[in-house]
Each structure stands twice: as C-alpha cells, then as structure tokens.
Amino acid sequence: MDAHSIEQALRTAILPHLKIPGETLSYLAAVLSDLTLDELADFEAVRLLLEPFLLDARKPGRERPHDKKSESTVDKLCRGVFDQLQAVARGRRPSPPSALQPPRVAAATASAATTAIDADAPPAGSIAAARAAVVSGLGSLDSELHIADGMLDHLAVVLAELPDKDLEDVAQLSTLLEPLLLESFHALGKWAADEDVQQMHALCQAISRKLLRSRQGAGTAASVLRIGASAGGGGAS
C-alpha cells in the first residue's frame, strides 16, 4: 500500500482525537508502507508500530505515560487506524471516524485539528535547536547512527516541548526516547542488545547537555537584547 493512502488513513483516524505533528504522520506512513498487505491486515503488527508514537503524542514529557486511560485511548486510535487501512486495502477511501459524521464535517474536523497542531507547535527556533542537539548526540556515539528525517523531525518536536527539568533527568529522557530509537539501534548492529541501555543513556546525556546549553545561550541573548532595548528607551526619554 502506498504511503500517501496510508497517511490519509492516519489523518482521518487520528487528527480529530489527538495532536500529532504532520511530519510524524508522514514518517509513520512511510514505515507502514513497508509492510505487506498481510502484515497490514494483522492488528497486532500495526498496533506494535503505532503505539509508542501515539503514547508519546498523548503525554509528551510525562514521567509515566503508560497509565490505563492513555493505553485504552491509544488502543482505540490504533483500532481506528487499522479499520481505515482495511478500508483502503479493499479499495475504498478512508471514511469518517464516526458514521454520524458527514464527510464535510469530518474534513472540517481534520482541518481544524491540523490548524490546532500548527498553533500549538513549539517555536521553530526551539525545534531547530532540538534537532541540532539530536544530530550532535548521534555523532557522539562510538558507532555512527543514522535515523530517517521524519523520525529526526519527530524527536525534535518532542524534545522542544520538554521543560528543562525533564531534559536534566537523563534517566527519564532515556525512557521517553527508547521506544523511538531502539529499532535504529538494532538495525545498526554495532553492539550487543545488553548494551542498549548504556548507549541510550550516553546518547540522551549528550542530547540533554547540548540542548540545555543551547537554551541557556538563547536565554542570555534574549536578556541582553531586553537590557539593551530598555537602556535605549531610557536614553530617548
């Protein structure tokens, strides 16, 4: 199944219910498009791929995102995506998530959700700094690790949304990023599986250090600008 059709199915099933970046949807669509039709017809296979991203999107930066309410909601979203994918596989267009929702209402709902996502997204500068921190962190590993641009963009948004105190907690950060990066670790195959925790900790430590330093620098620069503006205003009066 092509990535475009899958992304439409993801948008139809997810956006009315959950804020998730468009680049993440595109990345998920690309990953799902690699599955065979038989694999896409297996709910557990689809859920296994979607669940970490949806849990993360539902409660970004939380210490314990896997509470029962979140898991129940995510399970329903996975089921909704699965149903949409089966409809696409049968040659039908993705249908509205509710039979009571006319096509125009569903389209308006999805459009409003996309607008809300854009409005609530972190500032572009924060995302760029987070992206740079991830790239720097990946480069700090003994073995060079490459991840897809879609995943990199998703990680940047996730990190940009975290407060400093969550970034400072490297153990928590490792727990947050592990579901997103573990597959890339295994694909690289440069260390044994029992070294994953150590490598993840080192990566998150490097990301944390780089991003916190970047934020501190941005804060100092902003303070200098405010002081300069205040002094300039005082001189003019």
Side-chain angles (χ1 to χ4, degrees), residues 6 12 22 31 45 56 60 80 105 117-118 125 186-187 195 197:
I6 293 175
T12 300
V31 171
D56 178 62
V105 175
I117 289 171
D118 292 339
H186 294 162
E195 295 180 41
V197 173

Side-chain angles (χ1 to χ4, degrees), residues 1-235:
M1 191 181 301
D2 66 276
H4 176 73
S5 297
I6 293 175
E7 185 169 346
Q8 289 300 109
L10 291 170
R11 288 180 177 276
T12 300
I14 295 173
L15 285 185
H17 309 289
L18 183 66
K19 181 186 78 170
I20 189 168
E23 56 267 24
T24 299
L25 291 176
S26 298
Y27 174 76
L28 288 174
V31 171
L32 288 169
S33 69
D34 287 336
L35 299 182
T36 66
L37 288 177
D38 286 342
E39 289 170 328
L40 286 174
D42 181 351
F43 173 69
E44 286 304 315
V46 173
R47 184 186 64 79
L48 187 65
L49 284 173
L50 293 177
E51 189 177 55
F53 294 91
L54 297 179
L55 281 170
D56 178 62
R58 179 168 167 77
K59 286 192 173 183
R62 299 292 183 88
E63 186 172 354
R64 299 184 63 186
H66 301 285
D67 58 273
K68 289 184 178 180
K69 182 178 179 180
S70 292
E71 290 177 352
S72 175
T73 299
V74 166
D75 188 70
K76 290 177 182 177
L77 287 173
C78 289
R79 177 62 65 178
V81 171
F82 179 76
D83 290 343
Q84 295 294 336
L85 291 174
Q86 302 322 297
V88 173
R90 289 192 295 269
R92 301 204 307 265
R93 289 185 177 183
S95 57
S98 169
L100 300 178
Q101 202 174 41
R104 288 184 180 180
V105 175
T109 302
S111 175
T114 303
T115 301
I117 289 171
D118 292 339
D120 293 340
S126 297
I127 295 176
R131 199 179 198 277
V134 174
V135 172
S136 175
L138 292 172
S140 72
L141 295 177
D142 291 337
S143 299
E144 192 172 1
L145 179 69
H146 296 284
I147 60 176
D149 285 343
M151 172 60 79
L152 187 56
D153 292 337
H154 174 65
L155 288 173
V157 172
V158 170
L159 291 167
E161 290 178 338
L162 293 180
D164 287 355
K165 63 181 181 65
D166 286 349
L167 283 174
E168 291 167 356
D169 188 341
V170 176
Q172 178 180 328
L173 190 60
S174 298
T175 301
L176 177 65
L177 298 188
E178 181 178 353
L180 308 178
L181 291 172
L182 204 54
E183 185 178 344
S184 297
F185 274 26
H186 294 162
L188 181 64
K190 293 294 185 180
W191 54 76
D194 59 6
E195 295 180 41
D196 284 344
V197 173
Q198 177 185 346
Q199 295 288 347
M200 184 66 68
H201 184 86
L203 173 60
C204 290
Q205 193 170 47
I207 291 173
S208 171
R209 186 183 302 115
K210 174 75 173 179
L211 187 49
L212 287 171
R213 188 181 301 125
S214 175
R215 287 183 178 181
Q216 290 165 0
T220 301
S223 297
V224 169
L225 287 175
R226 284 196 296 270
I227 293 171
S230 176

